[in-house]
Amino acid sequence: MSHALSTILAKRSWFVPDIMVHGLPALANLDLLAVESVEGIDSVFYGTVAIGDSSQKITFADLNDHRGNPLPTTIQSPRVIVRPRSIYTAYPVGTESETSFNIVRSTEAPEPIMVDLLITEMGD
């Protein structure tokens, strides 16, 4: 494979050190069900709400890698891997979007924790 082609097909990745995580996971999920009848037509609505959800949203544009270079504003199919720096850990919540992701620390941690992130672009 030529060098130019391997460069084009390569997936980008960034090591981002020293991220302070203060978000906490939701206390519980509440399922909602509502029935509505309007002019003889019955409708049922369903939804889920996270109670006490205080996850931390991090945008890629606000991050710098270990060399001090800013990350791109959008990353195609990103995956975030957390490297804990203490006995407490953090983890991404939900699915990463092209511009940001949500992260929370473990509930056992008494205060915000410091972690490192490995962000990889999975591409197509």
Side-chain angles (χ1 to χ4, degrees):
M1 184 181 296
S2 72
H3 177 68
L5 185 57
S6 65
T7 302
I8 293 170
L9 297 175
K11 306 300 182 210
R12 300 180 296 174
S13 61
W14 301 266
F15 180 72
V16 182
D18 304 331
I19 299 297
M20 187 64 70
V21 179
H22 57 78
L24 288 171
L27 299 173
N29 288 328
L30 180 64
D31 295 324
L32 304 172
L33 185 64
V35 179
E36 178 182 58
S37 181
V38 177
E39 298 178 4
I41 300 174
D42 295 332
S43 300
V44 177
F45 301 96
Y46 172 77
T48 301
V49 176
I51 298 174
D53 182 18
S54 60
S55 61
Q56 178 180 349
K57 182 175 183 175
I58 297 179
T59 57
F60 297 124
D62 294 337
L63 298 176
N64 292 322
D65 69 7
H66 67 286
R67 294 182 184 111
N69 300 318
L71 270 63
T73 55
T74 60
I75 298 174
Q76 186 179 8
S77 299
R79 293 298 173 260
V80 177
I81 300 169
V82 178
R83 177 180 170 230
R85 296 187 44 193
S86 68
I87 61 170
Y88 304 110
T89 190
Y91 51 93
V93 177
T95 304
E96 300 92 338
S97 75
E98 290 187 348
T99 58
S100 65
F101 64 96
N102 290 334
I103 190 168
V104 296
R105 61 185 163 100
S106 63
T107 56
E108 293 84 22
E111 58 189 19
I113 61 170
M114 185 79 68
V115 298
D116 298 331
L117 302 175
L118 177 62
I119 301 171
T120 303
E121 182 176 49
M122 300 304 286
D124 292 331

